[in-house]
Amino acid sequence: MLGSLSLLVATPFAFRSFSPSSNNNRSLSSGTNHQIAKQLATESGRGSQKLLRRHVFPVYRRVSYGSPISAVMIDDSSTITTSEENTQNIGILDIDSALRPFKDHFQYRIKKFVDQKNLFENYEGGLEEFAKGYLRFGFNREEDGIVYREWAPAAQEAQVVGDFNGWDGSNHKMEKNEFGVWSIKIPDSEGNPAIPHNSRVKFRFKHGDGVWVDRIPAWIKYAIVDPTRFGAPYDGVHWDPPPSERYEFKYPRPPKPKAPRIYEAHVGMSSSEPRINSYREFADDVLPRIQANNYNTVQLMAVMEHSYYASFGYHVTNFFSVSSRSGTPEDLKYLIDKAHSLGLRVLMDVVHSHASNNVTDGLNGFDVGQSSQESYFHTGERGYHKLWDSRLFNYGNWEVLRFLLSNLRWWLEEFKFDGFRFDGVTSMLYHHHGINMPFTGDYNEYFSEATDVDAVVYLMLANSLINNILPDATVIAEDVSGMPGLGRPVSEGGIGFDYRLAMAIPDKWIDYLKNKNDEEWSMMDLSCSLTNRRYTEKCISYAESHDQSIVGDKTIAFFLMDKEMYSGMSCLTDASPTIDRGIALHKMIHFITMALGGEGYLNFMGNEFGHPEWIDFPREGNGWSYEKCRRQWTLVDTDHLRYKFMNAFDRAMNALDDKFSFLSSTKQIVSCTDEENKVIVFERGDLVFVFNFHPENTYDGYKVGCDLPGKYRVALDSDAWEFGGHGRVGHDVDHFTSPEGIPGVPETNFNNRPNSFKVLSPARTCVVYYKVDESVEETNGINVISVSETLEMDASKQKNAEESAILILPRLIMEIKKIHKKLLTVTPPVSMRNCKKMEQSRKVLKNQQLLC
């Protein structure tokens, strides 16, 4: 099955796609944090970013830059024939015919990809073997000693120094081979490793100016800093614990879910106390919360070591090291294993788009003015990101590819991560890095000289490697440009990601909350923004992530309720109009984003319950305070505070997908965008969603279209009492459909749907309806318990099942009596089917009375 269908408004024409452009907070633009590209791709443009399907009812190398071995590779003619064969059939061009004018571009990058793979095969034993660089570089145990290797072609002399030799490297000089790799073997001493576990080490080398410098080894697996010294540099640590101290994984990876429901988390700021939290505390205290809210995936930020805490983990200094602020590598393994034991998959936020500019403790310290082919980074402007103040990798360099590809394999195999979220992909894809680039959807913006083909090929190699090692991996791209093919398999000519982040959606919500009154909200604009994604390329939708939570910005809850969150969240007093509106819209915004915005969903830690205020890491400007760099879990745990209502609804949203798998469904139809009444109606799977954004109007008997005939009941209701609502929608009501128009002729139907039913739609609510399987009812007895109630029961796992059944029985009997009464008063004359129902209801009623 190809990727999911785009969500389409149920009208006879296909909508063109709006630009998916948006800016992330790590500055793709020098303007405001959340500019929105508002240009509509013109109908006549040569290849515009568009939805490629009308409304239907779906059935469901050579090494460049003068590498030392490039001459050998250039003469390898065996790769040419193979690469030419692989560029003839490009599947992505069959999916989107508008890409055919760019066939030459696809052929060129596919050829580079195939050539590179063949070179790995010929000279390194294949892509997978090539990506085992961590077994060769850095510190590794070999026969009777430790072997240390480092790629540093610019170095003139080199030594290894550390605690083990008193930081005197005169007896530990290294040797350099023809490829710029320095190495030394340090024999064991009296049967013990010469470099003790958990001792400090550094790479000391002399560069062309005759100056000796100390650097943290590039492949170091742990790095620490003296917490008692302000601004102290990090030290590399030789991490090789004895078997008794190594963490052994106990639990298998959970299976890949149909649709990821992702909980984005930062371990360091996950404590309720103003301090840095640990991996083990997160595992024991926070993971159970995530599981309880029915997420199936955890996405961990700031795992790779970064010397500047306030960078949110995006200025990486040591790529193979876990962040030591929260513990050791063994502690992180404990966290991941604990997550797996709870059925949670774990993704890592990996940063291969750039590296910290730090010299003393970062990879940038190996750059001493040498040429690009002898460095991890490009030289000059091409090697520097002016808005991020960071270094940019040379993805055409053989050793850079080894370093980055091995880095991915390291995290997958050593720590059992289940996939990655690649940060800053837009910066990688283009030489302009997306800076001040308002992507309009014109295909020429994606396939031109501005495209960094070396980076594209690296990402193709990375996704191929990940899928070869772990076929069930989940890989997500943070891309604001919407490059076509990013989310298609490499075998089709795509870049190979499973999902891209739908980054324009949170910007749309911020625009509405900042700049529009409730009466100005456009149902068509919201619907188009949420459904604007490429056919067959899946997206992760989100209303807000960590980007929307940092200092200088506001979360959705804070936009909605602002200062009243400090005084108006107690259930002991009536909710003010601001709080009532805020909680209602908080639920609606997150739910419609989940239900309509993609094939997966993401929430940042704390936003599920409307965490107030913003995130502000300790810095000079706030007196190095951790006060706003934590999560106040006590707010949601306090029973008399209204935060619990938003949390309960978040749990129910995820449970609804658990029960009905609507996120992964390919049946996705928007049937109504009612501007006058502020209502959006759509279907995902066989569920019918009704969102009423009107601030005041309640509609009794509002007619909604649907696909399948039959009986519908409430599956989820944001207005239910348990979610802080007003309980205006009855959950014990059956909604029977009526046929609309001529079957198979959409223009004669109601909103292009062949059936309809009527509902009560209160102001600022969203209600989901599911089709009752009447055959199951007739077989197993009449099910009168709403799905909302079922979800509530499932969430309260501590309740005894027998006690729950006793509580339900009186209501069950009442409902059966009602249905029985209706059946007795049916006109026209009772059919044979109704007779059977009456007899069945009598039997069920009799049995339940006996139980009582």
Side-chain angles (χ1 to χ4, degrees):
M1 176 73 70
L2 294 177
S4 66
L5 298 175
S6 295
L7 298 181
L8 299 179
V9 180
T11 53
F13 59 93
F15 278 93
R16 296 284 180 172
S17 171
F18 291 82
S19 166
S21 173
S22 64
N23 298 316
N24 71 26
N25 276 348
R26 289 178 303 284
S27 302
L28 286 179
S29 169
S30 58
T32 60
N33 284 342
H34 301 285
Q35 284 183 319
I36 300 176
K38 298 178 180 178
Q39 289 178 276
L40 179 62
T42 59
E43 295 288 328
S44 58
R46 286 187 299 168
S48 62
Q49 180 78 294
K50 58 192 174 183
L51 301 180
L52 300 172
R53 192 176 181 90
R54 293 186 179 274
H55 168 66
V56 294
F57 304 123
V59 181
Y60 309 110
R61 166 178 166 82
R62 218 153 92 186
V63 172
S64 55
Y65 306 104
S67 166
I69 53 176
S70 63
V72 177
M73 299 178 185
I74 291 171
D75 294 332
D76 186 358
S77 58
S78 66
T79 65
I80 304 300
T81 303
T82 307
S83 63
E84 287 177 352
E85 291 172 355
N86 279 273
T87 57
Q88 295 309 306
N89 298 314
I90 303 174
I92 194 172
L93 305 184
D94 297 327
I95 296 173
D96 183 357
S97 61
L99 291 172
R100 287 177 182 166
F102 305 95
K103 183 178 180 180
D104 288 346
H105 174 92
F106 283 96
Q107 287 180 325
Y108 174 68
R109 79 185 194 190
I110 291 170
K111 181 179 183 301
K112 288 198 69 170
F113 166 76
V114 174
D115 284 353
Q116 192 69 66
K117 282 194 68 177
N118 286 331
L119 291 170
F120 291 154
E121 194 70 40
N122 293 337
Y123 298 103
E124 298 279 358
L127 174 61
E128 288 78 13
E129 285 297 314
F130 181 69
K132 291 180 178 178
Y134 52 84
L135 298 179
R136 177 174 174 79
F137 287 83
F139 294 88
N140 289 286
R141 286 288 305 172
E142 294 188 11
E143 277 185 61
D144 304 321
I146 294 173
V147 176
Y148 170 51
R149 296 184 182 90
E150 196 75 67
W151 180 66
Q156 304 299 308
E157 297 180 46
Q159 306 169 353
V160 58
V161 296
D163 293 331
F164 76 100
N165 62 9
W167 298 92
D168 180 1
S170 57
N171 293 323
H172 293 93
K173 297 180 179 179
M174 303 177 71
E175 296 181 354
K176 181 181 181 181
N177 70 10
E178 68 272 30
F179 302 120
V181 176
W182 295 87
S183 63
I184 184 174
K185 181 172 182 179
I186 306 172
D188 291 342
S189 175
E190 299 180 355
N192 296 314
I195 305 178
H197 161 63
N198 206 17
S199 64
R200 296 177 299 164
V201 290
K202 280 195 174 180
F203 176 62
R204 177 173 291 170
F205 70 94
K206 183 174 74 173
H207 56 75
D209 293 337
V211 178
W212 285 86
V213 293
D214 289 357
R215 299 291 183 255
I216 295 179
W219 298 73
I220 200 71
K221 297 178 177 67
Y222 195 46
I224 59 172
V225 67
D226 184 351
T228 64
R229 292 173 53 201
F230 179 79
Y234 275 69
D235 289 310
V237 172
H238 176 55
W239 192 260
D240 186 23
S244 61
E245 297 179 20
R246 292 176 189 163
Y247 186 84
E248 297 293 335
F249 286 91
K250 304 176 181 64
Y251 300 96
R253 288 183 167 104
K256 188 173 185 176
K258 294 179 181 178
R261 300 188 299 272
I262 302 170
Y263 195 88
E264 184 185 34
H266 187 288
V267 172
M269 56 168 288
S270 64
S271 173
S272 60
E273 301 172 8
R275 61 176 176 82
I276 296 175
N277 209 15
S278 72
Y279 296 122
R280 288 183 176 266
E281 288 172 308
F282 180 92
D284 295 339
D285 301 336
V286 181
L287 285 179
R289 293 178 180 273
I290 300 171
Q291 183 202 37
N293 270 39
N294 298 306
Y295 289 91
N296 56 34
T297 306
V298 182
Q299 181 178 296
L300 293 182
M301 305 174 61
V303 172
M304 305 161 87
E305 187 59 87
H306 50 291
S307 62
Y308 183 43
Y309 189 42
S311 74
F312 239 132
Y314 291 114
H315 278 215
V316 175
T317 45
N318 311 110
F319 284 75
F320 288 82
S321 302
V322 307
S323 178
S324 58
R325 292 180 182 85
S326 294
T328 69
E330 311 312 305
D331 295 332
L332 178 60
K333 292 175 184 177
Y334 171 82
L335 184 162
I336 295 170
D337 203 29
K338 181 69 174 288
H340 288 167
S341 75
L342 297 174
L344 296 167
R345 286 162 62 89
V346 187
L347 307 183
M348 176 177 160
D349 200 343
V350 70
V351 186
H352 283 183
S353 50
H354 63 130
S356 169
N357 203 25
N358 289 19
V359 171
T360 304
D361 48 20
L363 199 60
N364 193 33
F366 287 82
D367 191 336
V368 289
Q370 69 268 38
S371 62
S372 184
Q373 69 264 26
E374 294 185 336
S375 172
Y376 286 99
F377 310 109
H378 285 294
T379 57
E381 290 186 4
R382 191 177 179 190
Y384 178 72
H385 199 296
K386 61 183 180 182
L387 296 183
W388 295 348
D389 186 30
S390 56
R391 296 303 308 273
L392 300 174
F393 287 106
N394 175 2
Y395 300 105
N397 187 295
W398 188 269
E399 292 302 329
V400 173
L401 289 176
R402 188 198 306 275
F403 183 82
L404 295 177
L405 292 169
S406 298
N407 190 236
L408 297 174
R409 182 159 196 165
W410 166 254
W411 294 109
L412 287 176
E413 298 207 329
E414 182 70 15
F415 292 90
K416 307 299 182 186
F417 278 99
D418 302 294
F420 300 100
R421 178 260 199 195
F422 275 72
D423 179 70
V425 169
T426 306
S427 178
M428 300 172 70
L429 295 175
Y430 309 100
H431 294 300
H432 52 62
H433 310 300
I435 298 172
N436 294 326
M437 182 65 188
F439 292 96
T440 64
D442 186 330
Y443 281 5
N444 291 285
E445 296 168 348
Y446 307 111
F447 311 111
S448 68
E449 292 181 355
T451 307
D452 189 338
V453 176
D454 284 340
V456 170
V457 170
Y458 164 67
L459 291 172
M460 295 168 71
L461 290 166
N463 281 309
S464 296
L465 173 71
I466 293 166
N467 284 293
N468 289 346
I469 295 172
L470 185 62
D472 280 347
T474 299
V475 193
I476 302 167
E478 187 212 32
D479 170 44
V480 302
S481 74
M483 175 181 272
L486 188 72
R488 293 306 303 162
V490 172
S491 60
E492 294 179 1
I495 297 179
F497 287 99
D498 297 310
Y499 300 88
R500 78 155 45 85
L501 290 178
M503 299 184 70
I505 294 175
D507 290 348
K508 174 61 67 176
W509 289 122
I510 289 170
D511 176 48
Y512 268 51
L513 294 173
K514 275 185 175 180
N515 304 316
K516 296 180 186 295
N517 296 324
D518 292 2
E519 293 79 11
E520 297 174 323
W521 286 25
S522 167
M523 302 300 99
M524 177 64 78
D525 182 45
L526 285 176
S527 174
C528 286
S529 296
L530 290 166
T531 60
N532 177 31
R533 55 190 185 273
R534 290 180 55 78
Y535 169 56
T536 77
E537 297 194 37
K538 295 185 284 188
C539 288
I540 301 294
S541 66
Y542 61 103
E544 51 188 340
S545 68
H546 68 273
D547 276 338
Q548 286 70 43
S549 301
I550 62 175
V551 66
D553 213 332
K554 290 183 177 182
T555 63
I556 287 176
F558 219 43
F559 266 119
L560 289 167
M561 295 175 277
D562 205 61
K563 62 183 179 181
E564 289 202 29
M565 296 191 78
Y566 297 113
S567 58
M569 296 299 283
S570 173
C571 298
L572 303 179
T573 60
D574 291 338
S576 70
T578 297
I579 295 297
D580 194 55
R581 169 185 179 268
I583 292 177
L585 286 180
H586 188 276
K587 292 180 289 186
M588 295 181 72
I589 287 171
H590 286 83
F591 192 30
I592 197 171
T593 298
M594 177 193 198
L596 200 56
E599 290 71 34
Y601 177 68
L602 178 143
N603 169 73
F604 177 66
M605 179 175 65
N607 289 343
E608 70 275 13
F609 63 85
H611 198 289
E613 300 181 321
W614 53 86
I615 297 168
D616 191 8
F617 282 87
R619 55 189 172 85
E620 188 175 4
N622 65 14
W624 304 104
S625 170
Y626 287 87
E627 181 61 32
K628 287 184 170 57
C629 193
R630 61 190 180 111
R631 297 285 86 177
Q632 299 182 53
W633 302 110
T634 53
L635 296 176
V636 70
D637 293 341
T638 303
D639 193 57
H640 70 267
L641 295 182
R642 290 188 167 90
Y643 296 98
K644 67 179 182 181
F645 296 134
M646 291 177 280
N647 189 67
F649 189 70
D650 179 79
R651 182 188 307 125
M653 282 166 40
N654 288 321
L656 187 73
D657 182 58
D658 239 358
K659 189 175 185 69
F660 292 100
S661 300
F662 63 86
L663 277 173
S664 60
S665 174
T666 58
K667 179 183 175 184
Q668 310 169 57
I669 305 293
V670 175
S671 61
C672 173
T673 51
D674 185 343
E675 296 289 4
E676 180 180 355
N677 295 311
K678 302 298 180 190
V679 175
I680 299 176
V681 180
F682 60 92
E683 297 162 63
R684 285 295 297 263
D686 292 330
L687 296 178
V688 179
F689 296 73
V690 182
F691 282 77
N692 179 358
F693 282 96
H694 201 286
E696 298 175 353
N697 292 353
T698 293
Y699 308 111
D700 191 3
Y702 192 87
K703 189 174 180 180
V704 301
C706 65
D707 181 17
L708 302 176
K711 179 167 63 178
Y712 287 78
R713 290 182 185 149
V714 171
L716 182 61
D717 169 21
S718 70
D719 196 48
W721 293 108
E722 60 265 31
F723 306 136
H726 301 285
R728 290 167 287 185
V729 177
H731 297 178
D732 57 352
V733 178
D734 290 333
H735 303 269
F736 293 93
T737 61
S738 300
E740 296 286 347
I742 303 170
V745 186
E747 56 267 27
T748 68
N749 300 158
F750 174 74
N751 288 341
N752 288 337
R753 309 309 288 139
N755 294 282
S756 71
F757 59 93
K758 294 182 178 181
V759 301
L760 173 68
S761 181
R764 290 195 183 122
T765 64
C766 47
V767 183
V768 187
Y769 298 87
Y770 74 103
K771 183 181 179 298
V772 177
D773 188 342
E774 296 183 76
S775 64
V776 174
E777 280 192 333
E778 292 181 2
T779 303
N780 301 325
I782 301 175
N783 174 23
V784 297
I785 306 168
S786 76
V787 177
S788 290
E789 292 162 344
T790 304
L791 295 173
E792 185 180 0
M793 290 168 57
D794 291 342
S796 304
K797 294 179 180 177
Q798 72 275 17
K799 289 186 179 180
N800 185 281
E802 292 181 4
E803 292 177 351
S804 298
I806 292 170
L807 290 172
I808 292 166
L809 280 175
R811 294 174 58 192
L812 184 63
I813 294 169
M814 287 178 61
E815 294 300 332
I816 293 173
K817 286 180 177 179
K818 288 181 184 178
I819 294 171
H820 190 200
K821 185 177 180 181
K822 288 180 182 178
L823 293 174
L824 290 173
T825 57
V826 169
T827 56
V830 179
S831 65
M832 182 63 69
R833 184 181 180 193
N834 282 337
C835 287
K836 290 180 179 178
K837 283 189 176 182
M838 290 166 61
E839 181 61 29
Q840 184 184 41
S841 67
R842 289 192 189 102
K843 290 179 180 178
V844 173
L845 180 61
K846 183 177 180 181
N847 290 335
Q848 297 299 339
Q849 287 172 331
L850 288 173
L851 282 171
C852 291

